[in-house]
Short mmCIF file of all heavy atoms in Angstrom, two decimals:
data_model
loop_
_atom_site.label_atom_id
_atom_site.label_comp_id
_atom_site.label_asym_id
_atom_site.label_seq_id
_atom_site.Cartn_x
_atom_site.Cartn_y
_atom_site.Cartn_z
N GLN A 373 30.81 21.50 17.11
CA GLN A 373 29.46 21.16 16.71
C GLN A 373 28.74 20.55 17.89
O GLN A 373 29.31 19.81 18.67
CB GLN A 373 29.49 20.17 15.54
CG GLN A 373 30.07 20.82 14.28
CD GLN A 373 30.07 19.84 13.13
OE1 GLN A 373 30.02 18.65 13.34
NE2 GLN A 373 30.14 20.35 11.93
N ASP A 386 44.34 19.40 11.37
CA ASP A 386 45.75 19.73 11.32
C ASP A 386 46.40 19.64 12.69
O ASP A 386 47.49 20.17 12.91
CB ASP A 386 45.96 21.12 10.75
CG ASP A 386 45.17 22.17 11.51
OD1 ASP A 386 44.36 21.78 12.39
OD2 ASP A 386 45.35 23.35 11.24
N VAL A 401 51.35 16.56 10.76
CA VAL A 401 50.31 17.60 10.69
C VAL A 401 49.36 17.24 9.55
O VAL A 401 49.80 17.05 8.41
CB VAL A 401 50.91 19.00 10.48
CG1 VAL A 401 49.81 20.03 10.37
CG2 VAL A 401 51.86 19.35 11.61
N GLY A 447 -9.21 -12.65 31.83
CA GLY A 447 -8.47 -13.70 32.50
C GLY A 447 -7.02 -13.32 32.76
O GLY A 447 -6.48 -13.57 33.85
N LEU A 459 1.23 -7.34 46.87
CA LEU A 459 2.03 -6.19 46.45
C LEU A 459 1.73 -4.97 47.32
O LEU A 459 2.63 -4.19 47.63
CB LEU A 459 1.77 -5.89 44.97
CG LEU A 459 2.67 -4.83 44.34
CD1 LEU A 459 4.12 -5.29 44.37
CD2 LEU A 459 2.24 -4.53 42.92
N ARG A 460 0.47 -4.80 47.69
CA ARG A 460 0.13 -3.64 48.54
C ARG A 460 0.85 -3.74 49.89
O ARG A 460 1.19 -2.73 50.50
CB ARG A 460 -1.38 -3.58 48.74
CG ARG A 460 -2.16 -3.20 47.48
CD ARG A 460 -3.62 -2.87 47.81
NE ARG A 460 -4.39 -2.61 46.61
CZ ARG A 460 -5.16 -3.51 46.01
NH1 ARG A 460 -5.26 -4.73 46.52
NH2 ARG A 460 -5.84 -3.20 44.93
N HIS A 513 -11.75 8.59 25.10
CA HIS A 513 -12.56 8.33 26.29
C HIS A 513 -13.99 8.79 26.07
O HIS A 513 -14.96 8.08 26.39
CB HIS A 513 -11.92 9.03 27.49
CG HIS A 513 -12.51 8.62 28.81
ND1 HIS A 513 -13.68 9.17 29.30
CD2 HIS A 513 -12.11 7.70 29.74
CE1 HIS A 513 -13.96 8.62 30.48
NE2 HIS A 513 -13.04 7.73 30.76
N VAL A 579 -1.02 -4.41 38.22
CA VAL A 579 -1.13 -5.51 39.17
C VAL A 579 -2.06 -5.15 40.32
O VAL A 579 -2.81 -6.00 40.83
CB VAL A 579 0.27 -5.91 39.68
CG1 VAL A 579 0.17 -6.88 40.84
CG2 VAL A 579 1.08 -6.51 38.55
N GLY A 595 0.06 7.12 22.85
CA GLY A 595 1.21 7.98 23.08
C GLY A 595 2.29 7.79 22.02
O GLY A 595 2.87 8.77 21.53
N THR A 628 44.03 9.68 2.28
CA THR A 628 44.34 11.01 2.80
C THR A 628 43.61 12.02 1.94
O THR A 628 44.07 12.38 0.85
CB THR A 628 45.85 11.28 2.77
OG1 THR A 628 46.51 10.25 3.50
CG2 THR A 628 46.16 12.64 3.39
N SER A 668 20.56 6.34 -9.98
CA SER A 668 20.21 4.92 -9.88
C SER A 668 20.22 4.42 -8.45
O SER A 668 19.38 3.59 -8.07
CB SER A 668 21.17 4.08 -10.73
OG SER A 668 22.50 4.23 -10.26
N ARG A 701 12.40 -3.88 -1.39
CA ARG A 701 12.86 -5.23 -1.75
C ARG A 701 11.97 -6.30 -1.13
O ARG A 701 11.69 -7.32 -1.76
CB ARG A 701 14.32 -5.41 -1.31
CG ARG A 701 15.30 -4.59 -2.13
CD ARG A 701 16.73 -4.97 -1.79
NE ARG A 701 17.08 -4.63 -0.42
CZ ARG A 701 17.57 -3.46 -0.05
NH1 ARG A 701 17.77 -2.50 -0.94
NH2 ARG A 701 17.88 -3.22 1.21
N ALA A 735 35.82 -9.99 -10.07
CA ALA A 735 36.50 -11.28 -10.20
C ALA A 735 36.01 -12.05 -11.41
O ALA A 735 36.77 -12.84 -12.00
CB ALA A 735 36.28 -12.11 -8.93
N GLU A 762 36.19 7.81 -18.58
CA GLU A 762 35.38 8.87 -19.20
C GLU A 762 34.06 8.32 -19.71
O GLU A 762 33.50 8.83 -20.69
CB GLU A 762 36.17 9.53 -20.34
CG GLU A 762 37.48 10.16 -19.93
CD GLU A 762 37.29 11.28 -18.91
OE1 GLU A 762 36.25 11.98 -19.00
OE2 GLU A 762 38.16 11.46 -18.05
N ALA A 831 16.41 -15.21 -12.18
CA ALA A 831 17.05 -13.90 -11.99
C ALA A 831 17.88 -13.53 -13.20
O ALA A 831 17.87 -12.36 -13.64
CB ALA A 831 17.92 -13.92 -10.73
N ALA A 956 -36.90 -23.53 1.56
CA ALA A 956 -36.07 -24.10 0.50
C ALA A 956 -36.51 -23.62 -0.87
O ALA A 956 -35.68 -23.35 -1.75
CB ALA A 956 -36.12 -25.64 0.57
N ALA A 986 -21.23 -16.59 -17.50
CA ALA A 986 -22.02 -15.43 -17.13
C ALA A 986 -22.72 -15.67 -15.79
O ALA A 986 -22.82 -14.75 -14.96
CB ALA A 986 -23.06 -15.13 -18.21
N LEU A 998 -21.10 -7.26 -0.70
CA LEU A 998 -20.81 -6.96 0.70
C LEU A 998 -20.06 -5.65 0.87
O LEU A 998 -20.11 -5.03 1.93
CB LEU A 998 -20.00 -8.09 1.33
CG LEU A 998 -20.78 -9.32 1.77
CD1 LEU A 998 -19.84 -10.44 2.13
CD2 LEU A 998 -21.70 -8.98 2.94
N ARG A 1016 -11.91 -8.05 -20.13
CA ARG A 1016 -10.97 -9.18 -20.18
C ARG A 1016 -11.13 -9.99 -21.46
O ARG A 1016 -10.19 -10.64 -21.90
CB ARG A 1016 -11.18 -10.09 -18.97
CG ARG A 1016 -10.80 -9.47 -17.65
CD ARG A 1016 -9.32 -9.32 -17.51
NE ARG A 1016 -8.64 -10.61 -17.42
CZ ARG A 1016 -7.32 -10.74 -17.35
NH1 ARG A 1016 -6.55 -9.67 -17.37
NH2 ARG A 1016 -6.77 -11.94 -17.26
N ALA A 1063 -54.86 10.22 0.01
CA ALA A 1063 -53.68 11.04 0.31
C ALA A 1063 -52.49 10.62 -0.55
O ALA A 1063 -51.72 11.46 -1.05
CB ALA A 1063 -53.33 10.93 1.79
N PHE A 1081 -38.14 24.81 -16.96
CA PHE A 1081 -36.99 25.70 -16.81
C PHE A 1081 -35.82 25.16 -17.62
O PHE A 1081 -35.49 23.97 -17.54
CB PHE A 1081 -36.60 25.84 -15.34
CG PHE A 1081 -37.67 26.48 -14.50
CD1 PHE A 1081 -38.59 25.69 -13.81
CD2 PHE A 1081 -37.75 27.86 -14.39
CE1 PHE A 1081 -39.57 26.28 -13.03
CE2 PHE A 1081 -38.72 28.45 -13.62
CZ PHE A 1081 -39.64 27.67 -12.93
N LEU A 1100 -28.25 3.50 -26.90
CA LEU A 1100 -29.08 3.51 -28.11
C LEU A 1100 -28.48 2.69 -29.24
O LEU A 1100 -29.19 1.88 -29.86
CB LEU A 1100 -29.34 4.95 -28.55
CG LEU A 1100 -30.36 5.13 -29.68
CD1 LEU A 1100 -31.71 4.53 -29.28
CD2 LEU A 1100 -30.53 6.60 -30.04
N GLY A 1139 -46.62 -18.47 7.28
CA GLY A 1139 -48.07 -18.53 7.37
C GLY A 1139 -48.80 -17.27 6.96
O GLY A 1139 -49.94 -17.06 7.39
N ARG A 1197 -34.21 -11.98 3.32
CA ARG A 1197 -32.83 -11.55 3.09
C ARG A 1197 -31.84 -12.66 3.43
O ARG A 1197 -30.80 -12.79 2.79
CB ARG A 1197 -32.55 -10.32 3.93
CG ARG A 1197 -33.30 -9.08 3.45
CD ARG A 1197 -32.68 -8.54 2.19
NE ARG A 1197 -31.44 -7.83 2.48
CZ ARG A 1197 -30.60 -7.37 1.55
NH1 ARG A 1197 -30.84 -7.60 0.28
NH2 ARG A 1197 -29.51 -6.73 1.90
#
Side-chain angles (χ1 to χ4, degrees):
Q373 293 181 339
D386 55 353
V401 178
L459 188 63
R460 290 192 185 98
H513 191 278
V579 171
T628 304
S668 61
R701 290 189 294 272
E762 301 299 327
L998 279 170
R1016 292 289 293 177
F1081 296 94
L1100 188 58
R1197 290 286 284 173

